[in-house]
Amino acid sequence: LWRDRVLRTLSLIVAVLAAVWGAWLALMPLYARQDMALGPREYGIVLSALGVGGLAGAVVVTRVNRLLGARWAMFADLVGTALMVALPALATDIRAVAAGAFLGGMGGTLWTVNARTLTQRVVPDEMLGRYSAAARLFSFGAMPLGAALVGLLAEWGGARFAFGVFALAVVVTPVPFFRNVTPSALRAFRAG
């Protein structure tokens, strides 16, 4: 995992994305009630948008991959996750926040399907379990860290500020992504 530049980059980006998801899931109930003044039904709409986005991603992932390629489909998740946390930082309108949740859910599926497919091609079968455990340590380990950090940031600067900080964290991920997850690296994965 650590020796391979692409696998390392994907795992570190997943850690950022997982921290963002942990932050969003931890802060959204409070934000929805206090800042957006949503009741349980409206909050359910926002959460449902996240799930519907994930289902939509599963339905369109093959078409998106054919149209854009795996690299751009994965980049779509970076955009979707950034919007998932940026829109609550910018607006309290349920339509905007639900749209961000939808795009985050959809992008998450696009990333997961493509990242798993790529890693299963390059990681030897006898190492796949160990690789998956190490990679999941990054993601599952980052979720509670994101939840804790968003609480501190929200306490210090407010919920919108906290969402904005996490949006900025996602905005920087395309730099290492495009630098290391290159078309030639992906071709090597497919050939391997």
Side-chain angles (χ1 to χ4, degrees):
L1 169 66
W2 204 251
R3 280 183 252 147
D4 187 285
R5 182 175 51 110
V6 174
L7 294 178
R8 181 178 61 243
T9 300
L10 293 178
S11 293
L12 292 174
I13 290 173
V14 162
V16 171
L17 297 175
V20 169
W21 277 74
W24 190 91
L25 290 167
L27 188 55
M28 186 50 67
L30 181 66
Y31 180 74
R33 187 171 49 83
Q34 288 184 352
D35 295 69
M36 296 176 67
L38 299 183
R41 179 174 290 155
E42 293 86 6
Y43 178 65
I45 290 170
V46 173
L47 285 184
S48 295
L50 188 69
V52 171
L55 290 172
V59 169
V60 302
V61 67
T62 302
R63 283 184 234 132
V64 169
N65 284 349
R66 283 188 194 133
L67 182 66
L68 303 176
R71 184 175 185 236
W72 288 104
M74 293 172 76
F75 173 71
D77 178 39
L78 302 180
V79 173
T81 301
L83 289 171
M84 183 177 79
V85 286
L87 287 171
L90 300 171
T92 58
D93 182 74
I94 187 172
R95 293 167 296 194
V97 174
F102 176 85
L103 293 171
M106 185 175 185
T109 300
L110 294 175
W111 179 281
T112 301
V113 168
N114 283 295
R116 293 265 163 78
T117 301
L118 291 171
T119 56
Q120 287 178 352
R121 287 183 179 140
V122 73
V123 176
D125 289 344
E126 63 275 5
M127 295 296 294
L128 199 52
R130 283 183 242 173
Y131 165 80
S132 294
R136 286 176 189 230
L137 176 66
F138 284 97
S139 60
F140 291 135
M143 287 183 81
L145 294 176
L149 181 58
V150 81
L152 292 173
L153 290 170
E155 186 71 28
W156 182 64
R160 293 175 91 170
F161 169 76
F163 281 126
V165 169
F166 278 89
L168 288 174
V170 180
V171 167
V172 301
T173 59
V175 174
F177 178 78
F178 283 120
R179 182 177 294 150
N180 296 307
V181 184
T182 62
S184 61
L186 293 180
R187 280 193 297 276
F189 267 33
R190 286 187 199 98

